[in-house]
Amino acid sequence: MIRVLFVCLGNICRSPMAEAVFMHHVHAAGLASQIIADSAGTGHWHLGEPPHPGTMRILHARGIPYAHRARLITRHDLEHFDYILTMDEMNWQDVQELGPGRAKVMRLMEFAPHTGQTEVPDPYYSGRFEEVYHLVNEATQGLLEYIRREHGV
Ligand code: 4NP
């Protein structure tokens, strides 16, 4: 099983959307028996909460099923997952500070260089959930292609 973890600050907006959209692509590719995903946050404010209504609205409008409760990333995740994808530089730094691990820690937007964006902007205050969807949709497709090449699946 190939394990993929998406990480943002609150684990209610960006990383849940990335997880859901990535798994949507995984299902469409017929790879759901080989690839699983989860998401986590680096901040504790929303632990146990469902995804933000802005994220759920986007997913619902596109027919992408999703359920999740916000949780914190732990050191165990660095061993358990094969890939950890961060949404912005602060998340990337926070994950580095957990210490070394087996997982490859990468910035999600590395997988969509054509967008010209290096981060997925936080929509919590801006409300720009459509922009988040556009970016994570592009980047999770690139990520899936990368994983398929690396694992020959
Ligand atoms: P997320 O968005 O990191 O994409 O889940 C945020 C959610 C909550 C907060 C910040 C960002 N907050 O400050 O509570």
Side-chain angles (χ1 to χ4, degrees), residues 8-14 45-46 122-125:
C8 64
L9 180 59
N11 191 213
I12 55 170
C13 301
R14 293 166 294 174
W45 307 282
H46 299 279
D122 185 349
Y124 189 65
Y125 294 108

Side-chain angles (χ1 to χ4, degrees), residues 3-138:
R3 297 183 174 87
V4 181
L5 182 70
F6 296 91
V7 174
C8 64
L9 180 59
N11 191 213
I12 55 170
C13 301
R14 293 166 294 174
S15 62
M17 199 187 311
E19 177 198 344
V21 173
F22 175 72
M23 283 310 298
H24 188 64
H25 297 316
V26 167
H27 279 280
L31 293 170
S33 65
Q34 294 174 70
I35 303 176
I36 54 170
D38 191 9
S39 65
T42 61
H44 59 270
W45 307 282
H46 299 279
L47 297 182
E49 292 180 18
H52 192 286
T55 283
M56 291 309 294
R57 204 172 296 127
I58 294 261
L59 296 175
H60 188 249
R62 285 158 179 89
I64 301 174
Y66 187 62
H68 184 71
R69 295 284 164 168
R71 73 170 181 89
L72 273 179
I73 185 172
T74 66
R75 292 194 61 151
H76 172 74
D77 292 322
L78 294 171
E79 295 301 327
H80 181 72
F81 287 90
D82 299 289
Y83 302 95
I84 296 180
L85 289 309
T86 58
M87 301 298 126
D88 63 28
E89 285 306 300
M90 189 174 68
N91 310 149
W92 195 84
Q93 273 301 331
D94 288 342
V95 173
Q96 299 303 313
E97 283 164 20
L98 291 174
R102 195 179 64 80
K104 270 192 187 177
V105 184
M106 290 176 285
R107 297 156 173 92
L108 179 62
M109 291 314 298
E110 281 179 33
F111 296 97
H114 61 279
T115 62
Q117 298 273 336
T118 57
E119 300 189 328
V120 182
D122 185 349
Y124 189 65
Y125 294 108
S126 72
R128 298 181 66 164
F129 286 88
E130 284 289 346
E131 178 187 23
V132 172
Y133 173 75
H134 169 68
L135 294 175
V136 304
N137 187 39
E138 295 294 316

